[in-house]
Amino acid sequence: MEYRPLGRTGMQVSVLCLGCMMFGGRTEPDESMAIIDRAIDAGINFVDTANVYSRGRSEEVTGEALKRSGKRDRIVLATKVHGRMADDDPNAQGNSRRHIIAQCEASLRRLQTDYIDLYQIHRPQSSIPIDETLRALDDLIRAGKVRYIGASTFTGWQLVESLWVAKELGLNRFVCEQPPYHILDRRIERELLPMLQTYGFGVIPWSPLAAGLLTGKYQRNQPKPEGSRFGAMWESWPHIRSRYVDTFFDVVEGLAPLAEAKDITLAQFSLAWCIRQPGVTSPIIGPRTMTQLEDNLGAVEVEISDEDRAAVDALVPPGLMVSPFYEADFGPHPHRV
Ligand SMILES: NC(=O)c1ccc[n+]([C@@H]2O[C@H](COP(=O)([O-])OP(=O)(O)OC[C@H]3O[C@@H](n4cnc5c(N)ncnc54)[C@H](OP(=O)(O)O)[C@@H]3O)[C@@H](O)[C@H]2O)c1
C-alpha cells in the first residue's frame, strides 16, 4: 500500500480510504466488519464514515469492527457532522456550535473511541457564520476529542473564507476537502482543485466510481443487475435516474477498451485514474461486498499512462461532466439554508 501526507498535516494516509456508508445499512454488520478487517490487513489505514449514515448505525458498526481488530490506534478515523439526526428537533442538524458539539459526543460513543482523527463538516451552511462552526471545531481539538478538521462539498470561496477566518481568529483550519470527483464529473478541476493544491488541502474524493456507474456492470438497454445501487434505489431516490442517460453509456463504452488493454476491470481503471490525478490524496471507496473490496484493492497497483489520461480526456474533457444533472451532488446552493 502506498501512503501520502494528508494535505499539510504530518499524517500519512493510504491512497485508498475505506468509506463506510453501506455498513450497517445495505451491508449487514457481520459482512461490514469482515470488509473493514480485510481492508486494514491490506494496508488501508484511512476510514471514513458519518453520523448520518443509517442514522448512526454505520458509526456503530465501524466502531465495533475497529475495537475488535485491536488496531484503532493505527487508523486515521474520519467522520462527519451536518445531516439531520432527528425528525422532530430543528436543532438536530447543521453547522451550529450546539449541534456539532452534541454530535461529536454522540459519534465518540458510537465509534467507541475517545478521539476522532478527522472531523468533517458534511455540507456548508451559509446561514451560520463560519466563525461559529470553526470555533466549535477548534474547541473540540483543544479538548483532545478531535485531531484535525475537514470540509466536504464546499465551494472554493467558502474554503478560502474559512482559512481567512481561522487565521484572523487564531483557530485551527480545515486540512482537507471531500468533493465528488470521478471520470464522469470533473468539475472540481476548473477551480476547486487548483485552489486546494495552492492552499495545501488534502483531497479525498467521494464516489470515485460514480456510485457504481464506472464499474461497467450497467449496460445500455439491459436490466440493472440484481442488488445494484441503481436497481435498488431507482424508486426511492428518483434523482439518480437522471444520471442513467445515453451520454453516460457512451463514456463507459469508450472506457472499456482501456481497461481491457490492461487486463483489469473497469472499476480498477476508473479508481486508478482517480488515485493518480494531480492533487488527489486518497479516493474514498464504498464497497458493499467483500468481492467489491477485493476488486477495488487491485486498483492500487494499476499504472495510468499519459496515453490513458489523453484517452479519458477525449471522452470527458478536463473540467467537464457528462450529465448536467450531477449538479445535484453539490447539494443546495450555498446561499440557501
Ligand atoms: N461527503 C459526501 O457527501 C459523501 C457522499 C457520498 C459518499 N461519501 C463517502 O464516499 C464513500 C464512497 O462513496 P460511494 O459508495 O458512492 O463510492 P463509489 O466507489 O463511487 O461506489 C461504490 C458502489 O459501487 C458499487 N461497486 C463498487 N465496486 C464494485 C465492483 N468492483 N463491481 C461492481 N460494483 C461495484 C457498489 O454498489 P452496488 O453493488 O450497490 O451497486 C458500491 O457500493 C462512502 O462510503 C462515503 O464514505 C461521501
Side-chain angles (χ1 to χ4, degrees), residues 18-22 26 48-50 53 80 122-123 152-153 178-179 182 205-213 215 217-218 227-230 265 267 271 284-289 291-293 295-296 329:
L18 179 67
C20 302
M21 189 168 71
M22 293 297 108
R26 295 185 61 221
D48 177 75
T49 180
Y53 296 159
K80 317 186 197 76
H122 211 149
R123 286 287 182 282
S152 173
T153 324
Q178 185 174 143
H182 47 76
W206 56 264
S207 290
L209 297 177
L213 292 177
T215 62
K217 68 182 175 185
Y218 300 102
S228 63
R229 194 180 298 182
F230 278 77
T265 64
L271 212 41
I284 313 174
I285 53 172
R288 180 175 59 84
T289 66
T291 311
Q292 293 175 357
L293 172 69
D295 176 77
N296 293 177
D329 283 340

Side-chain angles (χ1 to χ4, degrees), residues 97-157:
R97 161 177 286 273
R98 178 190 162 102
H99 185 62
I100 289 170
I101 291 177
Q103 277 304 306
C104 181
E105 298 291 355
S107 289
L108 289 169
R109 277 195 300 278
R110 288 187 289 255
L111 289 164
Q112 302 188 54
T113 183
D114 50 12
Y115 66 98
I116 292 163
D117 293 281
L118 176 65
Y119 200 38
Q120 303 158 104
I121 298 297
H122 211 149
R123 286 287 182 282
Q125 187 178 8
S126 290
S127 58
I128 294 179
I130 191 70
D131 319 30
E132 172 171 340
T133 301
L134 285 173
R135 276 200 193 279
L137 293 169
D138 190 69
D139 286 348
L140 291 171
I141 292 178
R142 288 173 204 267
K145 296 180 182 191
V146 165
R147 299 282 188 261
Y148 297 98
I149 56 172
S152 173
T153 324
F154 274 49
T155 59
W157 73 262

Side-chain angles (χ1 to χ4, degrees), residues 216-225 244 249 253:
K217 68 182 175 185
Y218 300 102
Q219 307 272 323
R220 206 191 294 262
N221 303 324
Q222 296 297 317
K224 292 165 210 74
Y244 214 74
F249 288 107
E253 287 163 11

